[in-house]
Amino acid sequence: MKIFGFEKLQGWQRSRQVSIKIYKATADFTSEEKFGLTSQMRRAAISISSNIAEGTGRHTNKDKGRFTEIAYGSALELLNQCILSNDLEFLNEEKYLELRNDITEITAMLDGLYKSQIPN
């Protein structure tokens, strides 16, 4: 089986793990939130790894960097949604802090990836 380049990236691997955590965490949200925060958080989480993967298929560093920027934005969007979920008591403090730490690590990896794609 062929292994694609994005599968070797730690940022992609970690964001994939976060997507799984988000799916599990949002499974306990109220049914009212099925089309609210649950849907938004799942889409934002998946967007991180999807944009990393898509970016590796681009030919220019500028294009690759743009998809890394989008992934970074999705990570920040997910962080915002985690904060709101904690405020609304959908996520307990422990799960919130765990996810926040994961997202912080992913954004640091994305920042490094971006800098390697778009040198100053």
Side-chain angles (χ1 to χ4, degrees):
M1 169 173 54
K2 178 179 174 154
I3 304 294
F4 288 88
F6 72 86
E7 294 177 281
K8 298 174 188 173
L9 295 173
Q10 287 184 352
W12 178 82
Q13 293 169 6
R14 293 284 288 139
S15 62
R16 184 173 162 226
Q17 292 168 353
V18 166
S19 292
I20 294 166
K21 286 181 181 182
I22 291 295
Y23 265 77
K24 290 179 180 179
T26 57
D28 295 332
F29 283 17
T30 65
S31 60
E32 298 176 332
E33 287 303 320
K34 183 176 183 182
F35 300 108
L37 276 171
T38 299
S39 176
Q40 291 286 338
M41 291 175 76
R42 288 176 176 186
R43 287 196 335 246
I46 291 168
S47 178
I48 301 167
S49 59
S50 295
N51 278 291
I52 293 169
E54 187 171 355
T56 63
R58 299 300 168 149
H59 294 291
T60 68
N61 282 341
K62 184 178 179 181
D63 282 344
K64 290 177 186 195
R66 180 67 187 128
F67 280 90
T68 301
E69 284 179 320
I70 295 167
Y72 192 96
S74 293
L76 295 181
E77 180 182 355
L78 180 60
L79 176 58
N80 176 65
Q81 293 157 350
C82 287
I83 293 167
L84 289 170
S85 295
N86 179 251
D87 291 344
L88 294 167
E89 299 178 356
F90 296 150
L91 282 178
N92 65 37
E93 191 73 12
E94 180 181 348
K95 180 53 82 175
Y96 161 69
L97 292 173
E98 177 186 344
L99 289 166
R100 185 178 182 101
N101 184 57
D102 290 339
I103 294 166
T104 299
E105 289 177 11
I106 290 167
T107 56
M109 290 178 198
L110 290 171
D111 187 52
L113 179 60
Y114 182 79
K115 286 177 180 171
S116 74
Q117 294 164 329
I118 310 292
N120 290 332

